[in-house]
Structure formats: C-alpha cells, structure tokens
Amino acid sequence: MMCCQFIFKPGTYDDDFHRLDAQIDEYARSLPGLQRVEKYLSPDGDVVNAIYYFADQKDVAKLARFPTHREAKGQVARWYDGYRIVISQVTATYGDDRLPADEPAVAVTVTVWVISEIARRTSSRSFCSSSCESGLAPPTG
C-alpha cells in the first residue's frame, strides 16, 4: 500500500483552485487503487494533511500524470503558504482487532510527527497532539 500525504498551509483560494481541486479529487476517487482519503488539521488549524492511500504505485503514477493535477501543481504558490509531499510505502499494519483496519492508527502517529517536525523547523510552534507531547516517537525502520 502507498500513502501519499499532501501537507500544506492554506493560503487564498480562488475559483480556479476550487475547480481544479474538485476535478483532481473526483479523478483520484475514481482510480480503482484508491483505498481511502483522510484529512487532519493541526490543533491550531494552520496546517492541513490530506492523506491518500493507494493499493500500489500504479494509481499514484496515474494521479501524478493527470493533466489537471499537473496544471494545479504549476500554480501551488497562488493558493498555499507552503507545502510538502510525503510518499510512503506501508509495509505492515497490525493491531489487536479492536480498532478497525481502516482506522488511521499508524498514519496519525507519523502524520503528527511530520507536522511537528515542519513546525519545529519553520517556526518553533508545535502542532503536536498530546500523544506526541507525551513522548511517542515516529515509527522507525
């Protein structure tokens, strides 16, 4: 499984943004390998993490080549006050079966760490949730 995170600080959106965003979202959701989409906000609402899970790299590549996606990528400075893309391969997901498999248990830990690292490196403000502040570290290996 592939995990594609689009982490960004929203800027000013216009009609072009909304049109392109809707077309990209519709296309991504139409891909047979898209498994789910999650979205998280930092506690202060300044940073968004949109996470797309794909069965494999094939549909990730299709989304990357989608002409509307390429058009939007060329204009990110118009709409965002900063962004980062994180592409990860999920090699395992496991638990005790009390949390359904489609819940974002592992992704939340990684996401919180990535967002807090962005904050640490850019402004020293912490976007970390209480789980991160209590000493949880990102998974290693």
Side-chain angles (χ1 to χ4, degrees), residues 4-10 40 42 46-52 80-88 107 110-119 127:
C4 303
Q5 299 179 71
F6 180 45
I7 304 165
F8 61 94
K9 285 186 86 167
Y40 297 94
S42 62
D46 284 350
V47 176
V48 178
N49 188 350
I51 307 169
Y52 293 78
Y80 300 112
D81 292 337
Y83 78 97
R84 176 176 302 209
I85 306 296
V86 178
I87 309 287
S88 309
V110 173
T111 300
V112 167
W113 183 80
V114 168
I115 290 175
S116 64
E117 277 298 295
I118 293 169
F127 297 116

Side-chain angles (χ1 to χ4, degrees), residues 26-129:
E26 180 181 349
Y27 179 76
R29 291 176 190 272
S30 76
L31 294 169
L34 181 70
Q35 297 182 334
R36 71 180 184 272
V37 178
E38 300 169 356
K39 189 177 281 189
Y40 297 94
L41 292 174
S42 62
D44 63 6
D46 284 350
V47 176
V48 178
N49 188 350
I51 307 169
Y52 293 78
Y53 293 90
F54 291 91
D56 55 38
Q57 181 66 32
K58 182 177 71 173
D59 282 332
V60 173
K62 284 181 184 177
L63 178 59
R65 289 190 307 262
F66 180 52
T68 305
H69 182 256
R70 296 172 69 92
E71 177 185 350
K73 279 178 62 174
Q75 301 180 64
V76 294
R78 284 178 57 187
W79 305 307
Y80 300 112
D81 292 337
Y83 78 97
R84 176 176 302 209
I85 306 296
V86 178
I87 309 287
S88 309
Q89 183 172 4
V90 178
T91 58
T93 180
Y94 56 89
D96 63 6
D97 295 328
R98 292 183 292 165
L99 186 63
D102 61 346
E103 293 293 325
V106 174
V108 171
T109 302
V110 173
T111 300
V112 167
W113 183 80
V114 168
I115 290 175
S116 64
E117 277 298 295
I118 293 169
R120 184 182 67 77
R121 292 177 186 175
T122 59
S123 67
S124 77
R125 291 187 302 165
S126 176
F127 297 116
C128 223
S129 71

Side-chain angles (χ1 to χ4, degrees), residues 9-24:
K9 285 186 86 167
T12 303
Y13 300 154
D14 57 18
D15 290 340
D16 286 339
F17 170 85
H18 292 293
R19 176 182 55 81
L20 295 169
D21 186 57
Q23 290 173 2
I24 294 166

